[in-house]
Structure formats: structure tokens, C-alpha cells
Amino acid sequence: MLFSFLCQKREISNFDYLMYLNTLAGRSYNDYMQYPVFPWVLADYHSETLNLTNPQTFRDLSKPMGAQTAERKHKFIQRFNEVEKNLSAQCHYCTHYSSAIIVASYLVRMEPFTQTFCSLQGGSFDVADRMFHSVKSTWESASRDNMSDVRELIPEFFYLPEFLTNANHFELGCMQDGTVLGDVQLPPWADGDPHKFIFLHRQALESDYVSAHLHHWIDLIFGHKQHGSAAVEAVNTYHPYFYGDKVDLNNIKDPLIKSTILGFISNFGQIPKQV
């Protein structure tokens, strides 16, 4: 792909390349259901300084979020092979890496996303412990701890420090350990400064390591590992309803089933168009 070549030759930034791919795949800032999706690029949210020359600093871009650890990968493969009785189809993941609620939860400290999030939650904020409050704990949830969480990131993580602060002083609740939610907790290497976090995070996205490996992630999200045998091998299959363009609604006569499928697609995420 020409843009991949230009990206590796530094003639286009990784950020611009990803935005171009998102646009080609039909993703847009104007649609929470089809919001641009960006990758987690780091795996180090605990160090005092960020070493962008160390490969261990980075997330494995060749694997989806569900396969970032061997144990987690094994569990999802086991789910796929067993086809649990409560699943309507064989897949690794019943949740998606991008959805309206994921987007709104990341941007909940800014309007109009605050109202959007509350609307999606039935009129109020979520339980405080489930709210986006820490970059580190969100990474740990999506990459290791929570089998219902395989979320990726949104573009704002690489250019918009304001979404990390509770400048509007919303009362987001109090966690079980007594922590009152306010600004998003940042990794030690950000020194509590949202601007520094965005600066270093953008540097990571544009680093030599990410430039050399980003095409693997693109294959998973936008390319040939989206579906089929390549997706199975990559531990990268999702519930069939997430593949919106492959669900033939015209042949579904039962209005209740059709409504259920449409609601599923609208609320829980959609695989981008293959590019």
C-alpha cells in the first residue's frame, strides 16, 4: 500500500495515516457508532520515564487486545472452540474494541460527550469504579484483566489533553476505595501533566518501533485479518452482528429479530469496512 510506504519513509505521519484509513473505512467523528479507532501503542504505564528505544515499552501490535497475554489468549481460544451455550455464534469476542459507549466514556469529562454518556447510561453516570479514571488501569483491563474488555483507543489520546481533565467539575462519583473521581490518573512518566502525556504518547505513536509494526495492527482492524481463517488464526473474530455489512437484514422477516440485530450493531460496535 502506497500510504504504508510513505509512512515508513516518514513522508506522512502515523497519525495522519491512521486517520486516512479510518476515513476510507467509513469511520467518522460525526458518528459515535463509527468513530475513528486508534491502537494502544504502549504497554508501559508504570515507569518514571518512558524509554521509546526499548521494544518492551510497546504493546504487541501484531495481536488484538484479547491476545496480549498468553493466558488471556488461551481463554479466548478456549471460548471459540467450546462455543458456549449462551453464544449465538462461534467467535472469540462478544464485545467490541470501539462503540458509542466506549467513545463517550473516554470523553465523558467534555461536553457534548458528557450528556451523550449519561444518555447511553440511562440518564446518569456509571458506577464510579467502572468509569474511565486511569490510563494504567484501563490498559490493564483491556489487555489483561477483564474478559469483557478489548477496547482500543480514539484519536484524542494523541492530540487533546483537555479530555483528561475534569475542567467542568462534574460530580463523577466516588470509588469503593474512597477515591473521588476528577481528572484522569496519568502514568508516572507524564508527571501529572496532561500536555506531557499527549506529547509523549504522540511521540510513541510516531516512534521507529510503531512505524515498523503498525501494519500488523492495520491488518487486524482494517485488513485481511478482520474475518475468515486469517482472523481465526490471529484470535481476532467477533460476534457476527459486529460485521454489519455481512448481515443481510433484507432476508430477515421477523421484525423483532431484525430490531434486535440493528440495536446490537448500533450499541455495541461495528467492524470497519475492509480497505
Side-chain angles (χ1 to χ4, degrees):
M1 186 181 288
L2 175 61
F3 269 82
S4 179
F5 175 77
L6 294 176
C7 192
Q8 293 188 4
K9 296 288 287 185
R10 298 296 199 216
E11 294 183 24
I12 182 175
S13 70
N14 290 336
F15 183 92
D16 288 341
Y17 180 38
L18 288 171
M19 285 304 302
Y20 172 78
L21 287 175
N22 271 282
T23 301
L24 280 182
R27 315 292 284 193
S28 169
Y29 283 118
N30 298 320
D31 186 352
Y32 294 162
M33 315 297 181
Q34 297 265 21
Y35 210 76
V37 55
F38 268 57
W40 289 94
V41 294
L42 294 173
D44 182 356
Y45 298 97
H46 58 271
S47 296
E48 294 294 329
T49 58
L50 192 62
N51 183 359
L52 297 180
T53 65
N54 181 2
Q56 299 303 313
T57 297
F58 297 92
R59 167 255 182 103
D60 187 342
L61 288 161
S62 70
K63 298 175 181 176
M65 291 304 292
Q68 289 297 305
T69 70
E71 180 183 5
R72 183 171 163 92
K73 178 181 178 180
H74 173 73
K75 288 180 179 178
F76 281 119
I77 291 175
Q78 188 176 39
R79 168 189 285 179
F80 180 89
N81 290 333
E82 291 178 352
V83 192
E84 297 174 5
K85 293 181 180 179
N86 63 328
L87 300 181
S88 58
Q90 190 176 39
C91 62
H92 294 109
Y93 314 116
C94 299
T95 55
H96 200 254
Y97 48 77
S98 177
S99 66
I101 192 65
I102 289 174
V103 172
S105 69
Y106 280 144
L107 300 174
V108 68
R109 291 164 177 79
M110 299 174 57
E111 291 288 14
F113 303 98
T114 311
Q115 293 305 313
T116 299
F117 181 83
C118 289
S119 176
L120 292 171
Q121 282 294 126
S124 62
F125 292 120
D126 197 0
V127 175
D129 288 84
R130 291 201 297 258
M131 295 278 286
F132 172 52
H133 66 277
S134 162
V135 177
K136 177 177 179 288
S137 61
T138 301
W139 159 255
E140 291 173 347
S141 172
S143 67
R144 187 188 70 196
D145 296 339
N146 188 345
M147 292 290 286
S148 298
D149 184 2
V150 292
R151 80 188 97 168
E152 293 279 7
L153 299 183
I154 54 176
E156 285 81 354
F157 273 85
F158 301 94
Y159 70 84
L160 189 68
E162 287 78 11
F163 88 96
L164 298 165
T165 62
N166 188 21
N168 292 313
H169 305 291
F170 293 120
E171 295 184 3
L172 303 174
C174 182
M175 299 175 64
Q176 290 184 356
D177 64 3
T179 301
V180 177
L181 295 195
D183 297 344
V184 175
Q185 297 172 14
L186 302 176
W189 45 259
D191 295 326
D193 182 349
H195 290 83
K196 184 173 182 178
F197 171 84
I198 294 295
F199 175 77
L200 291 175
H201 205 215
R202 183 65 172 266
Q203 278 196 325
L205 178 64
E206 305 299 340
S207 67
D208 290 340
Y209 179 91
V210 172
S211 294
H213 295 85
L214 186 57
H215 64 283
H216 295 303
W217 183 84
I218 290 168
D219 286 342
L220 294 169
I221 306 300
F222 300 104
H224 74 285
K225 293 183 180 179
Q226 267 192 355
H227 53 78
S229 60
V232 174
E233 185 177 350
V235 194
N236 193 46
T237 65
Y238 296 80
H239 192 285
Y241 291 170
F242 291 141
Y243 300 85
D245 59 340
K246 299 188 181 306
V247 178
D248 189 359
L249 293 174
N250 293 326
N251 288 329
I252 298 176
K253 305 304 181 183
D254 189 322
L256 181 59
I257 295 177
K258 183 178 291 189
S259 175
T260 300
I261 294 174
L262 286 172
F264 195 98
I265 294 171
S266 297
N267 291 309
F268 296 107
Q270 212 169 339
I271 301 293
K273 295 177 183 176
Q274 190 173 18
V275 297

